[in-house]
Amino acid sequence: MTNGKTQNKIQRNGNKICNKSNRGKVSIPLKGDYDKEYQRIKKLAKKAKEEGKEIVVVMGLGFVGVVMAAIVADTKDEKGNYTKYVIGYQRPSVRSFWKIPVINKGISL
């Protein structure tokens, strides 16, 4: 029973779907997806380090974490260059994983 609100959890082919506020459906990563994503992030972090940026990881992208990530990411040196590369981590749950694509698209709720 959904009592008129958007349903948060759906099963499709064994893959959980997160659906929040009609902003689209997001597949929760499967175990097999983790290594590919880790390698992608590792490559991006390596490039940022080569550019002289510090790597900062923000655990949890709720009201506090997302603001902290934005403030840290906006840090510049005296020449106006960005000095931090921020990785935001949100655990893959049906209640909260929808935040990742919303934040990546720059959508404000």
Side-chain angles (χ1 to χ4, degrees):
M1 182 184 284
T2 62
N3 67 7
K5 293 187 178 182
T6 304
Q7 189 176 5
N8 272 348
K9 185 162 66 168
I10 303 169
Q11 290 278 29
R12 264 195 214 144
N13 300 328
N15 196 4
K16 292 182 182 176
I17 305 292
C18 178
N19 186 5
K20 184 73 170 180
S21 304
N22 294 325
R23 293 209 179 262
K25 294 176 179 152
V26 180
S27 294
I28 302 295
L30 298 172
K31 293 273 185 208
D33 298 329
Y34 293 152
D35 188 57
K36 182 179 176 184
E37 182 65 3
Y38 172 73
Q39 295 303 324
R40 185 183 76 82
I41 291 171
K42 186 176 171 181
K43 184 177 175 181
L44 292 169
K46 180 181 178 189
K47 181 178 181 255
K49 282 181 102 172
E50 289 169 355
E51 295 171 358
K53 295 179 181 173
E54 290 181 80
I55 309 302
V56 178
V57 178
V58 176
M59 302 296 286
L61 298 174
F63 291 111
V64 175
V66 77
V67 173
M68 179 60 70
I71 290 169
V72 172
D74 201 36
T75 304
K76 296 180 182 179
D77 63 16
E78 60 280 345
K79 295 179 183 176
N81 299 314
Y82 292 105
T83 61
K84 310 285 191 268
Y85 182 79
V86 179
I87 299 168
Y89 175 81
Q90 181 64 42
R91 69 185 181 89
S93 73
V94 293
R95 287 188 51 197
S96 62
F97 196 71
W98 62 271
K99 296 175 189 178
I100 300 301
V102 170
I103 291 167
N104 285 343
K105 291 177 185 173
I107 298 170
S108 178
L109 297 179

